[in-house]
Amino acid sequence: MAGGDLFGLWQRRWPLCPPLAAGLKHAYRDRWVRFHSLPGSKRYPDTADEYTFLSSS
């Protein structure tokens, strides 16, 4: 896929946001979802083992 094709696809899918993924959560707040990689969908690690799990993901 050529670079221009990718830009066109982005513009059609997310027209309110420039092609920067970090902006999607602000431009499309109603569609934003966040996934956590810690066990039990915790936001922050509580133990050393969970820090290890987070850094190996």
Side-chain angles (χ1 to χ4, degrees):
M1 174 182 297
D5 294 338
L6 181 57
F7 183 75
L9 288 171
W10 182 283
Q11 288 298 96
R12 285 191 294 279
R13 181 71 173 120
W14 300 292
L16 302 177
C17 183
L20 300 169
L24 288 172
K25 67 181 177 181
H26 301 292
Y28 295 94
R29 291 181 186 271
D30 61 325
R31 298 186 218 174
W32 182 251
V33 90
R34 178 181 218 164
F35 295 95
H36 302 286
S37 61
L38 290 170
S41 295
K42 291 169 49 177
R43 189 171 193 160
Y44 300 105
D46 292 327
T47 67
D49 288 339
E50 290 174 349
Y51 274 104
T52 302
F53 177 82
L54 185 62
S55 64
S56 67
S57 296

